[in-house]
Structure formats: structure tokens, C-alpha cells
mmCIF file of all heavy atoms in Angstrom:
data_model
loop_
_atom_site.group_PDB
_atom_site.id
_atom_site.type_symbol
_atom_site.label_atom_id
_atom_site.label_comp_id
_atom_site.label_asym_id
_atom_site.label_seq_id
_atom_site.Cartn_x
_atom_site.Cartn_y
_atom_site.Cartn_z
ATOM 1 N N GLU A 1 0.817 -1.187 -0.006
ATOM 2 C CA GLU A 1 -0.051 -0.011 -0.062
ATOM 3 C C GLU A 1 0.869 1.223 -0.025
ATOM 4 O O GLU A 1 0.573 2.183 -0.716
ATOM 5 C CB GLU A 1 -0.912 -0.031 1.304
ATOM 6 C CG GLU A 1 -1.796 1.159 1.394
ATOM 7 C CD GLU A 1 -2.888 1.224 0.251
ATOM 8 O OE1 GLU A 1 -3.200 0.245 -0.357
ATOM 9 O OE2 GLU A 1 -3.427 2.327 0.092
ATOM 10 N N VAL A 2 1.915 1.233 0.814
ATOM 11 C CA VAL A 2 2.889 2.433 0.894
ATOM 12 C C VAL A 2 3.519 2.649 -0.418
ATOM 13 O O VAL A 2 3.654 3.751 -0.979
ATOM 14 C CB VAL A 2 3.978 2.168 2.038
ATOM 15 C CG1 VAL A 2 5.032 3.218 1.872
ATOM 16 C CG2 VAL A 2 3.203 2.107 3.298
ATOM 17 N N ILE A 3 3.892 1.435 -1.093
ATOM 18 C CA ILE A 3 4.599 1.504 -2.415
ATOM 19 C C ILE A 3 3.726 2.086 -3.436
ATOM 20 O O ILE A 3 4.091 2.957 -4.238
ATOM 21 C CB ILE A 3 5.185 0.179 -2.826
ATOM 22 C CG1 ILE A 3 6.280 -0.329 -1.868
ATOM 23 C CG2 ILE A 3 5.590 0.113 -4.289
ATOM 24 C CD1 ILE A 3 6.758 -1.722 -2.104
ATOM 25 N N ASN A 4 2.431 1.585 -3.365
ATOM 26 C CA ASN A 4 1.405 2.179 -4.400
ATOM 27 C C ASN A 4 1.195 3.527 -4.124
ATOM 28 O O ASN A 4 1.034 4.382 -5.186
ATOM 29 C CB ASN A 4 0.122 1.301 -4.209
ATOM 30 C CG ASN A 4 0.344 -0.172 -4.683
ATOM 31 O OD1 ASN A 4 1.129 -0.428 -5.454
ATOM 32 N ND2 ASN A 4 -0.637 -1.004 -4.153
ATOM 33 N N VAL A 5 1.016 4.019 -2.923
ATOM 34 C CA VAL A 5 0.775 5.377 -2.598
ATOM 35 C C VAL A 5 1.904 6.249 -3.145
ATOM 36 O O VAL A 5 1.746 7.331 -3.748
ATOM 37 C CB VAL A 5 0.520 5.686 -1.075
ATOM 38 C CG1 VAL A 5 0.480 7.091 -0.707
ATOM 39 C CG2 VAL A 5 -0.755 5.021 -0.722
ATOM 40 N N ALA A 6 3.193 5.761 -2.792
ATOM 41 C CA ALA A 6 4.360 6.585 -3.258
ATOM 42 C C ALA A 6 4.400 6.611 -4.727
ATOM 43 O O ALA A 6 4.684 7.727 -5.352
ATOM 44 C CB ALA A 6 5.643 5.907 -2.680
ATOM 45 N N SER A 7 4.078 5.472 -5.414
ATOM 46 C CA SER A 7 4.120 5.524 -6.847
ATOM 47 C C SER A 7 3.116 6.457 -7.448
ATOM 48 O O SER A 7 3.333 7.213 -8.411
ATOM 49 C CB SER A 7 3.834 4.121 -7.405
ATOM 50 O OG SER A 7 3.809 4.078 -8.733
ATOM 51 N N GLU A 8 1.879 6.397 -6.806
ATOM 52 C CA GLU A 8 0.888 7.266 -7.379
ATOM 53 C C GLU A 8 1.190 8.719 -7.074
ATOM 54 O O GLU A 8 1.037 9.567 -8.034
ATOM 55 C CB GLU A 8 -0.441 7.000 -6.594
ATOM 56 C CG GLU A 8 -1.632 7.878 -7.006
ATOM 57 C CD GLU A 8 -2.902 7.427 -6.259
ATOM 58 O OE1 GLU A 8 -2.941 6.456 -5.514
ATOM 59 O OE2 GLU A 8 -3.857 8.128 -6.482
ATOM 60 N N GLN A 9 1.789 9.048 -5.898
ATOM 61 C CA GLN A 9 2.217 10.416 -5.672
ATOM 62 C C GLN A 9 3.274 10.850 -6.533
ATOM 63 O O GLN A 9 3.247 11.999 -7.119
ATOM 64 C CB GLN A 9 2.728 10.508 -4.187
ATOM 65 C CG GLN A 9 1.626 10.325 -3.176
ATOM 66 C CD GLN A 9 0.715 11.568 -3.135
ATOM 67 O OE1 GLN A 9 1.036 12.590 -3.666
ATOM 68 N NE2 GLN A 9 -0.390 11.384 -2.321
ATOM 69 N N ASN A 10 4.266 9.926 -6.910
ATOM 70 C CA ASN A 10 5.335 10.354 -7.790
ATOM 71 C C ASN A 10 4.736 10.515 -9.213
ATOM 72 O O ASN A 10 5.165 11.574 -9.901
ATOM 73 C CB ASN A 10 6.340 9.159 -7.905
ATOM 74 C CG ASN A 10 7.139 9.093 -6.732
ATOM 75 O OD1 ASN A 10 7.355 10.017 -5.997
ATOM 76 N ND2 ASN A 10 7.740 7.931 -6.445
ATOM 77 N N ASN A 11 3.778 9.770 -9.626
ATOM 78 C CA ASN A 11 3.126 9.931 -10.962
ATOM 79 C C ASN A 11 2.417 11.366 -11.048
ATOM 80 O O ASN A 11 2.513 12.061 -12.032
ATOM 81 C CB ASN A 11 2.120 8.827 -11.305
ATOM 82 C CG ASN A 11 2.919 7.526 -11.651
ATOM 83 O OD1 ASN A 11 4.048 7.542 -12.026
ATOM 84 N ND2 ASN A 11 2.258 6.407 -11.406
ATOM 85 N N ARG A 12 1.721 11.665 -9.940
ATOM 86 C CA ARG A 12 0.971 12.933 -9.882
ATOM 87 C C ARG A 12 2.028 14.132 -9.897
ATOM 88 O O ARG A 12 1.787 15.091 -10.508
ATOM 89 C CB ARG A 12 0.151 12.984 -8.616
ATOM 90 C CG ARG A 12 -1.142 12.056 -8.760
ATOM 91 C CD ARG A 12 -2.076 12.172 -7.552
ATOM 92 N NE ARG A 12 -3.202 11.201 -7.661
ATOM 93 C CZ ARG A 12 -4.151 11.349 -6.799
ATOM 94 N NH1 ARG A 12 -4.203 12.230 -5.796
ATOM 95 N NH2 ARG A 12 -5.189 10.547 -6.901
ATOM 96 N N LEU A 13 3.011 14.011 -9.117
ATOM 97 C CA LEU A 13 4.047 15.044 -9.052
ATOM 98 C C LEU A 13 4.697 15.298 -10.447
ATOM 99 O O LEU A 13 4.923 16.430 -10.841
ATOM 100 C CB LEU A 13 5.122 14.764 -8.055
ATOM 101 C CG LEU A 13 4.668 14.814 -6.504
ATOM 102 C CD1 LEU A 13 5.778 14.337 -5.609
ATOM 103 C CD2 LEU A 13 4.368 16.334 -6.235
ATOM 104 N N LEU A 14 5.015 14.090 -11.091
ATOM 105 C CA LEU A 14 5.569 14.212 -12.485
ATOM 106 C C LEU A 14 4.643 14.946 -13.409
ATOM 107 O O LEU A 14 5.023 15.805 -14.176
ATOM 108 C CB LEU A 14 5.886 12.854 -12.944
ATOM 109 C CG LEU A 14 6.668 12.798 -14.318
ATOM 110 C CD1 LEU A 14 8.001 13.575 -14.289
ATOM 111 C CD2 LEU A 14 6.819 11.314 -14.776
ATOM 112 N N ASN A 15 3.377 14.536 -13.324
ATOM 113 C CA ASN A 15 2.353 15.105 -14.204
ATOM 114 C C ASN A 15 2.213 16.601 -13.862
ATOM 115 O O ASN A 15 2.034 17.449 -14.745
ATOM 116 C CB ASN A 15 1.064 14.340 -13.953
ATOM 117 C CG ASN A 15 -0.090 14.880 -14.938
ATOM 118 O OD1 ASN A 15 0.134 15.079 -16.123
ATOM 119 N ND2 ASN A 15 -1.225 15.164 -14.348
ATOM 120 N N PHE A 16 2.214 16.882 -12.492
ATOM 121 C CA PHE A 16 2.043 18.202 -12.139
ATOM 122 C C PHE A 16 3.186 19.143 -12.564
ATOM 123 O O PHE A 16 3.029 20.336 -12.973
ATOM 124 C CB PHE A 16 1.933 18.267 -10.603
ATOM 125 C CG PHE A 16 1.570 19.633 -10.063
ATOM 126 C CD1 PHE A 16 0.366 20.268 -10.213
ATOM 127 C CD2 PHE A 16 2.580 20.476 -9.439
ATOM 128 C CE1 PHE A 16 0.072 21.524 -9.707
ATOM 129 C CE2 PHE A 16 2.363 21.686 -8.924
ATOM 130 C CZ PHE A 16 1.102 22.354 -9.051
ATOM 131 N N ALA A 17 4.390 18.529 -12.586
ATOM 132 C CA ALA A 17 5.558 19.216 -12.906
ATOM 133 C C ALA A 17 5.504 19.725 -14.423
ATOM 134 O O ALA A 17 5.800 20.787 -14.901
ATOM 135 C CB ALA A 17 6.837 18.401 -12.754
ATOM 136 N N HIS A 18 4.941 18.663 -15.253
ATOM 137 C CA HIS A 18 4.795 19.011 -16.630
ATOM 138 C C HIS A 18 3.765 20.162 -16.860
ATOM 139 O O HIS A 18 3.903 21.020 -17.676
ATOM 140 C CB HIS A 18 4.247 17.739 -17.414
ATOM 141 C CG HIS A 18 5.287 16.754 -17.579
ATOM 142 N ND1 HIS A 18 6.553 17.056 -18.076
ATOM 143 C CD2 HIS A 18 5.212 15.322 -17.376
ATOM 144 C CE1 HIS A 18 7.261 15.805 -18.075
ATOM 145 N NE2 HIS A 18 6.452 14.874 -17.639
ATOM 146 N N ILE A 19 2.695 20.028 -16.047
ATOM 147 C CA ILE A 19 1.627 21.109 -16.102
ATOM 148 C C ILE A 19 2.138 22.471 -15.739
ATOM 149 O O ILE A 19 2.034 23.536 -16.536
ATOM 150 C CB ILE A 19 0.394 20.772 -15.178
ATOM 151 C CG1 ILE A 19 -0.280 19.529 -15.771
ATOM 152 C CG2 ILE A 19 -0.595 21.952 -15.093
ATOM 153 C CD1 ILE A 19 -1.360 19.018 -14.839
ATOM 154 N N VAL A 20 2.894 22.550 -14.629
ATOM 155 C CA VAL A 20 3.511 23.818 -14.097
ATOM 156 C C VAL A 20 4.443 24.283 -15.179
ATOM 157 O O VAL A 20 4.429 25.507 -15.547
ATOM 158 C CB VAL A 20 4.204 23.534 -12.770
ATOM 159 C CG1 VAL A 20 5.045 24.864 -12.410
ATOM 160 C CG2 VAL A 20 3.162 23.261 -11.759
ATOM 161 N N SER A 21 5.298 23.433 -15.621
ATOM 162 C CA SER A 21 6.333 23.918 -16.710
ATOM 163 C C SER A 21 5.590 24.463 -17.895
ATOM 164 O O SER A 21 6.057 25.530 -18.420
ATOM 165 C CB SER A 21 7.193 22.659 -17.074
ATOM 166 O OG SER A 21 8.055 23.070 -18.134
ATOM 167 N N HIS A 22 4.617 23.753 -18.355
ATOM 168 C CA HIS A 22 3.922 24.267 -19.632
ATOM 169 C C HIS A 22 3.210 25.484 -19.393
ATOM 170 O O HIS A 22 3.482 26.481 -20.096
ATOM 171 C CB HIS A 22 2.926 23.146 -20.080
ATOM 172 C CG HIS A 22 2.120 23.554 -21.252
ATOM 173 N ND1 HIS A 22 0.927 24.212 -21.089
ATOM 174 C CD2 HIS A 22 2.353 23.467 -22.584
ATOM 175 C CE1 HIS A 22 0.439 24.439 -22.266
ATOM 176 N NE2 HIS A 22 1.239 24.073 -23.221
ATOM 177 N N ASN A 23 2.410 25.594 -18.358
ATOM 178 C CA ASN A 23 1.570 26.814 -18.127
ATOM 179 C C ASN A 23 2.369 28.027 -17.753
ATOM 180 O O ASN A 23 2.183 29.210 -18.391
ATOM 181 C CB ASN A 23 0.522 26.537 -17.009
ATOM 182 C CG ASN A 23 -0.497 25.461 -17.443
ATOM 183 O OD1 ASN A 23 -0.618 25.258 -18.613
ATOM 184 N ND2 ASN A 23 -1.173 24.824 -16.461
ATOM 185 N N LEU A 24 3.381 27.887 -16.859
ATOM 186 C CA LEU A 24 4.125 29.039 -16.509
ATOM 187 C C LEU A 24 5.103 29.468 -17.578
ATOM 188 O O LEU A 24 5.299 30.712 -17.735
ATOM 189 C CB LEU A 24 4.990 28.744 -15.179
ATOM 190 C CG LEU A 24 4.147 28.502 -13.894
ATOM 191 C CD1 LEU A 24 5.093 28.284 -12.706
ATOM 192 C CD2 LEU A 24 3.110 29.614 -13.601
ATOM 193 N N ARG A 25 5.569 28.494 -18.352
ATOM 194 C CA ARG A 25 6.323 28.881 -19.570
ATOM 195 C C ARG A 25 5.553 29.688 -20.476
ATOM 196 O O ARG A 25 6.033 30.632 -21.095
ATOM 197 C CB ARG A 25 6.918 27.651 -20.222
ATOM 198 C CG ARG A 25 7.904 27.970 -21.338
ATOM 199 C CD ARG A 25 8.753 26.737 -21.824
ATOM 200 N NE ARG A 25 7.826 25.709 -22.324
ATOM 201 C CZ ARG A 25 7.670 24.595 -21.701
ATOM 202 N NH1 ARG A 25 8.230 24.227 -20.651
ATOM 203 N NH2 ARG A 25 6.859 23.645 -22.309
ATOM 204 N N SER A 26 4.166 29.308 -20.727
ATOM 205 C CA SER A 26 3.434 30.039 -21.696
ATOM 206 C C SER A 26 3.263 31.531 -21.206
ATOM 207 O O SER A 26 3.359 32.446 -21.934
ATOM 208 C CB SER A 26 2.055 29.376 -21.756
ATOM 209 O OG SER A 26 2.203 27.990 -22.259
ATOM 210 N N HIS A 27 2.891 31.669 -19.910
ATOM 211 C CA HIS A 27 2.771 32.931 -19.289
ATOM 212 C C HIS A 27 4.061 33.762 -19.471
ATOM 213 O O HIS A 27 4.045 35.035 -19.711
ATOM 214 C CB HIS A 27 2.210 32.924 -17.895
ATOM 215 C CG HIS A 27 0.809 32.528 -17.786
ATOM 216 N ND1 HIS A 27 -0.277 33.163 -18.245
ATOM 217 C CD2 HIS A 27 0.294 31.330 -17.279
ATOM 218 C CE1 HIS A 27 -1.355 32.493 -18.010
ATOM 219 N NE2 HIS A 27 -1.029 31.402 -17.357
#
């Protein structure tokens, strides 16, 4: 469960990093 949560959090953080990078770069 801990591994799954960590994996899920990592995936979300990676996705969020892409979003932040794209949106702030556009602005």
C-alpha cells in the first residue's frame, strides 16, 4: 500500500511538474 501510494504520488508530481512547466512557460 505504501509503495502504491508513493508510486501514485510520484506519478502525480511528475504530471504536475509538466503542467506547471507548460503553463508558467506560456505566461
Side-chain angles (χ1 to χ4, degrees):
E1 178 68 18
V2 171
I3 292 172
N4 290 337
V5 170
S7 176
E8 182 179 352
Q9 291 289 347
N10 286 339
N11 289 335
R12 289 187 180 183
L13 286 172
L14 182 61
N15 183 47
F16 184 74
H18 288 312
I19 293 171
V20 170
S21 174
H22 174 270
N23 292 342
L24 293 184
R25 185 169 61 248
S26 297
H27 288 296

